[in-house]
Amino acid sequence: MSLFIFICFIVLGVEAGNEEIFKLQHVEKYSNAIGSNKILTDPFKEQHNMENEDIDNKVESELGIIEKIPYLKFLGVSAIWITPIYPSSGFDNGYDITNHRGIDEIMGTIEDFDELTNKLHENGIKIILDVVPNHTSHEHEWFIKSVQSIEPYTDYYVWVDAKYVNGTRQVPNNWMSIFGNSIWEWNEIRQQYYLHQFYKQQPDLNFWNPLVREEIKKLLRFWMDKGVDGLRMDAVSSLYERQDLLDAPIMALTGMPKRDGYTDALDEIFYEVNEWRTLTEEYKKKDGQTRILLIETYLPPLQTLKFYGNDTNIGAHLPLSLLLNYLNHKTAKEYVDTLTRWMSNLPSGAWSSWTIGNHDMNPRPASRFGLEMIDGIHMIQFFLPGTPIMYMGDELGMTDIYLREDQVLDKGALKAGHSRDKSRTPFQWDSSPQAGFSNNRNTWLPVNPNYVTVNVEFEQNERRSHLKILKEIMNLRQLEVFRTGDLEFYEISKYVFAFSRSNSFFKTYFIVINLGSEIENINLKKFKKTISSKLTVKISSLFAEQNNGDIVSAKSFNLRPSAALVLESSFY
C-alpha cells in the first residue's frame, strides 16, 4: 500500500544543530511504479553520486514516501513532518480523525508506517507526526458515545444547552468558527449544541476535562513508542474556550466577534504545552534522544513567543513562527524592525523556526513573493539563526494553480473567501503525464500546468535552477557560522534588505536582497567598515546578473530587482 502525504523538510536546530525539515501533506494514494521512478534510479544516482544501494532497485509496488527517500537524502533534509495519516471521514484532508492510533487505508497500513520509520532512520532522517488534539471527527467513537451520554465520554466534548427566546431555540452565544459561521451545531439526540472551531464535522474536545487531557497524552505516548522523533501539535491556540460563554465584542475592522481571549489564545494553552513538553522530556531521559515538540500557531509574534515557556514552565522546542510570511512586499525597514523585534524578544536559549509556506497558507511563497524573489527568500529563511521548515515543492518554485469552483475540495475555506487547495496540488517530479506523481488519468487536484518545466528532473538538468540554488543554500548552511555566528541587520535602501553572519573578524557572510522593482547600487562599506574591499559571490539567485564565484566591490555593485546574493568577505 502507499504511504504518501504532504511533506515538510525540517532543518532541526535546537539540539540537532544545522538541519532541515521537509513537510509532506496527504495528497492521494501513490499509484503503481510509474514514470517518476526513473529520477530515483540509475540516472539520478549517476548525476548526484547518491550513496544508496536501494536506488538501483525498480519499485514494483506502491511505496510512497519510502520510494522517495533518496530525493530527501539528496536535498539533505534532517526530518520530515507529515500531515495526518490516520483514518478520517475526509471532510478536512485528514484533520477530522476517526481513530488516532491507526493508518487510513488509502495511506497504507501500520506495518507500512513501521517500515517508513525504519527506512527513514536508516537513512538518517527523522519523522515528525501531525497530532490533532483540538477536535476529532464526528464519526469518532468518542463523539458517538458522547452524543449518547455514555460515560466516561459524556463530557469529552463541549456541550451547551440552547437559549430560548420567545420559545425559539437560539445558539448559546455569538462565537464564530474559523470558517466564519456559528461555532455551535445542534444535536437532536442530546438536545444540546456542541462546539466546533472548524467544520461542524470536527467537534471540539473539552480540554477543561482532565480525562481528555490524559487521552491526548496517551496518544503522544503511543506514537513516541512507535518510534516517531517529534510531534507537530495542530490548532493549539484553539484548545480552550471561555467557560462563562460570554458574548464576544464585535471588532470594528472585520465586523466579526473577537476570538482572542474568548475562543482563542487563553492562558491555559501555554500550560498544556508545558505538560506535553514534560512528557517528551520523560522519553528523553530514557534514551537521551530528543522528541521535538512543534506548535502550530497563527498568534501575533509576542504571543507566539510565549509558547517557549519560561524558567518554571518549559514550553515547546519550536513554535512555528510565521513572521516571514507577513513580510512579502514590505520595505527593508519593515524587515529590519520585525526581525530585530523578534530576535530581541526571543527567550534566552530559545531557537527560532522559519516558515514561508505550508499546506494551509496560500498563495505559495513563489506566488506570494514572486518567482524571481524565491531564492532570496530562501536565503533569508536558511541563513537566519534557527530551523527552516520548507513545504514540499517550494524548493522547485512551485506556484499556485487556478481552480474552478467545481474543482475546489476545500469548501469551508472557499466560503471564507480563499481556498487552500491552490497550494496543495500534486508534487511535480518530471514532465511525464500528471508530473510523474500518478499514473491515474485524474489526480485529486489538477496538476499545475507549469509542471513541464517546474519539476525535479528538469531543474536538476538545468545549469541553474531554483532546486540547484536551494541545494547550494543548504550546503553552505552547514558552516558553523550560520548556527552560532553573530547577526546584524541592515537597511541598505528603502527596498534593499541585508544581514550578516560572522564568528570572527576574518570572515563575514552577507545576504543581500533587492525587494524592489528597480536596479540598486549597493555600498556595503557604508554599513560595515570592517569588511574586505572585494567580496566573493558564494550564491546568486536565478535572475541576478552576478554568478557564483564572481568578485564584486564592497563599495559598489548592482543588484537587479528581486535578485539576491550571498557574499563572502574574507581577510585570509
Side-chain angles (χ1 to χ4, degrees):
M1 295 294 291
S2 164
L3 198 59
F4 193 87
I5 39 220
F6 294 127
I7 192 170
C8 251
F9 314 113
I10 299 185
V11 188
L12 297 177
V14 184
E15 294 174 330
N18 246 17
E19 305 179 81
E20 290 78 30
I21 299 178
F22 192 67
K23 176 172 186 276
L24 286 171
Q25 180 163 356
H26 152 83
V27 182
E28 66 165 24
K29 183 173 162 181
Y30 197 105
S31 299
N32 303 311
I34 56 177
S36 64
N37 291 341
K38 65 174 180 277
I39 62 173
L40 295 180
T41 51
D42 292 337
F44 199 84
K45 183 179 181 181
E46 290 170 2
Q47 290 174 31
H48 310 295
N49 299 315
M50 300 182 66
E51 299 176 359
N52 188 325
E53 295 179 0
D54 292 338
I55 203 168
D56 292 322
N57 299 326
K58 288 286 185 179
V59 180
E60 298 300 334
S61 60
E62 301 169 5
L63 294 178
I65 300 172
I66 294 173
E67 180 185 335
K68 302 305 183 184
I69 287 176
Y71 178 67
L72 301 177
K73 287 192 67 178
F74 158 70
L75 284 177
V77 302
S78 307
I80 63 170
W81 147 34
I82 53 180
T83 51
I85 53 179
Y86 319 103
S88 167
S89 300
F91 285 95
D92 191 23
N93 294 294
Y95 282 92
D96 50 324
I97 298 168
T98 58
N99 175 10
H100 291 84
R101 290 176 172 81
I103 303 294
D104 195 303
E105 63 180 7
I106 70 169
M107 306 291 175
T109 65
I110 198 70
E111 290 76 22
D112 292 328
F113 177 82
D114 292 337
E115 182 183 2
L116 170 63
T117 302
N118 292 334
K119 290 288 187 182
L120 287 169
H121 288 167
E122 288 171 8
N123 285 277
I125 301 173
K126 300 181 186 298
I127 181 170
I128 298 168
L129 281 194
D130 221 326
V131 178
V132 186
N134 180 72
H135 52 266
T136 70
S137 165
H138 67 304
E139 295 179 353
H140 195 290
E141 177 188 13
W142 296 349
F143 187 71
I144 293 170
K145 290 183 177 180
S146 189
V147 167
Q148 299 169 352
S149 297
I150 297 174
E151 296 297 345
Y153 305 101
T154 302
D155 295 319
Y156 266 40
Y157 298 83
V158 182
W159 294 100
V160 177
D161 291 334
K163 291 195 305 185
Y164 286 89
V165 178
N166 297 325
T168 301
R169 186 183 74 224
Q170 295 187 355
V171 294
N173 57 30
N174 69 344
W175 295 352
M176 304 295 282
S177 77
I178 298 292
F179 295 136
N181 51 357
S182 175
I183 207 169
W184 302 104
E185 182 69 18
W186 179 253
N187 183 270
E188 284 290 341
I189 297 175
R190 265 193 71 142
Q191 289 291 295
Q192 284 183 306
Y193 283 99
Y194 66 85
L195 182 144
H196 58 94
Q197 292 266 16
F198 298 90
Y199 290 110
K200 67 180 181 181
Q201 293 89 355
Q202 295 169 297
D204 270 44
L205 288 164
N206 177 16
F207 263 78
W208 295 105
N209 184 341
L211 295 178
V212 169
R213 300 198 296 272
E214 187 55 38
E215 290 279 13
I216 298 303
K217 290 180 185 178
K218 289 178 182 177
L219 294 177
L220 303 188
R221 291 188 183 97
F222 175 84
W223 289 108
M224 286 191 288
D225 288 341
K226 293 288 289 181
V228 303
D229 305 287
L231 307 156
R232 182 265 192 184
M233 308 301 290
D234 179 71
V236 172
S237 66
S238 302
L239 294 182
Y240 286 87
E241 300 83 20
R242 288 181 65 134
Q243 288 184 293
D244 61 12
L245 303 181
L246 189 68
D247 273 352
I250 303 300
M251 297 183 293
L253 290 178
T254 64
M256 298 288 287
K258 182 180 179 182
R259 291 183 52 80
D260 192 356
Y262 289 81
T263 60
D264 201 45
L266 274 68
D267 287 341
E268 284 76 9
I269 64 174
F270 303 108
Y271 297 116
E272 203 63 40
V273 170
N274 168 250
E275 291 293 312
W276 299 335
R277 176 65 183 275
T278 300
L279 180 59
T280 65
E281 291 300 309
E282 290 177 8
Y283 274 75
K284 182 180 179 180
K285 289 178 182 177
K286 297 177 183 178
D287 57 15
Q289 300 298 313
T290 297
R291 276 73 170 180
I292 191 169
L293 183 65
L294 290 79
I295 302 298
E296 183 201 30
T297 173
Y298 290 87
L299 295 179
L302 292 181
Q303 283 185 292
T304 295
L305 287 168
K306 292 172 67 176
F307 281 111
Y308 284 107
N310 52 43
D311 292 339
T312 56
N313 289 287
I314 189 170
H317 293 99
L318 291 179
L320 299 180
S321 168
L322 300 176
L323 210 61
L324 295 179
N325 296 282
Y326 305 128
L327 290 173
N328 57 301
H329 304 298
K330 302 296 184 181
T331 64
K333 184 178 189 306
E334 288 173 287
Y335 272 77
V336 170
D337 290 349
T338 300
L339 291 170
T340 299
R341 190 179 309 115
W342 173 267
M343 298 302 297
S344 61
N345 283 285
L346 195 66
S348 176
W351 188 249
S352 295
S353 70
W354 303 111
T355 305
I356 62 171
N358 63 37
H359 64 290
D360 279 334
M361 298 180 61
N362 68 80
R364 268 185 177 268
S367 294
R368 190 182 337 121
F369 290 98
L371 189 59
E372 299 81 6
M373 198 182 290
I374 192 62
D375 301 324
I377 297 302
H378 279 145
M379 291 174 187
I380 296 173
Q381 180 187 19
F382 278 75
F383 292 130
L384 286 172
T387 291
I389 301 177
M390 184 170 58
Y391 184 44
M392 63 171 196
D394 285 349
E395 76 277 19
L396 306 175
M398 280 181 61
T399 57
D400 279 15
I401 188 176
Y402 170 77
L403 294 173
R404 301 187 309 270
E405 187 169 336
D406 64 292
Q407 294 175 308
V408 171
L409 305 176
D410 189 27
K411 301 299 184 183
L414 181 64
K415 292 179 182 177
H418 68 280
S419 170
R420 297 168 294 182
D421 287 342
K422 294 183 292 184
S423 60
R424 293 177 171 182
T425 52
F427 189 84
Q428 294 161 206
W429 291 105
D430 57 37
S431 59
S432 65
Q434 308 302 1
F437 177 80
S438 173
N439 60 2
N440 290 332
R441 187 180 182 87
N442 297 304
T443 48
W444 81 307
L445 286 169
V447 174
N448 195 313
N450 66 13
Y451 76 91
V452 177
T453 56
V454 181
N455 66 67
V456 173
E457 185 178 54
F458 183 89
E459 294 196 27
Q460 209 41 79
N461 290 325
E462 286 289 281
R463 186 185 70 83
R464 294 285 283 163
S465 67
H466 297 302
L467 177 59
K468 284 191 171 181
I469 292 169
L470 191 280
K471 180 63 177 173
E472 292 170 358
I473 290 171
M474 292 177 74
N475 287 342
L476 185 63
R477 190 182 182 277
Q478 301 307 309
L479 295 178
E480 177 68 22
V481 64
F482 295 112
R483 181 162 56 241
T484 60
D486 294 336
L487 172 69
E488 293 184 65
F489 297 118
Y490 310 95
E491 181 188 353
I492 304 298
S493 70
K494 184 174 182 179
Y495 289 108
V496 175
F497 166 66
F499 64 95
S500 63
R501 304 298 308 275
S502 61
N503 51 17
S504 75
F505 166 79
F506 298 100
K507 187 169 289 187
T508 301
Y509 291 89
F510 290 89
I511 293 82
V512 188
I513 178 170
N514 186 349
L515 307 166
S517 55
E518 298 176 352
I519 294 177
E520 296 263 5
N521 185 261
I522 313 297
N523 179 1
L524 287 180
K525 275 283 191 180
K526 178 180 176 182
F527 297 89
K528 194 171 181 69
K529 306 297 184 183
T530 56
I531 59 173
S532 55
S533 60
K534 299 295 183 181
L535 306 174
T536 303
V537 177
K538 300 299 290 185
I539 306 175
S540 62
S541 66
L542 189 59
F543 299 104
E545 67 179 83
Q546 296 85 356
N547 295 309
N548 292 5
D550 285 357
I551 305 298
V552 300
S553 168
K555 288 186 177 180
S556 178
F557 64 89
N558 288 334
L559 195 60
R560 287 175 178 167
S562 299
L565 300 173
V566 179
L567 301 167
E568 181 186 78
S569 165
S570 178
F571 289 103
Y572 292 117

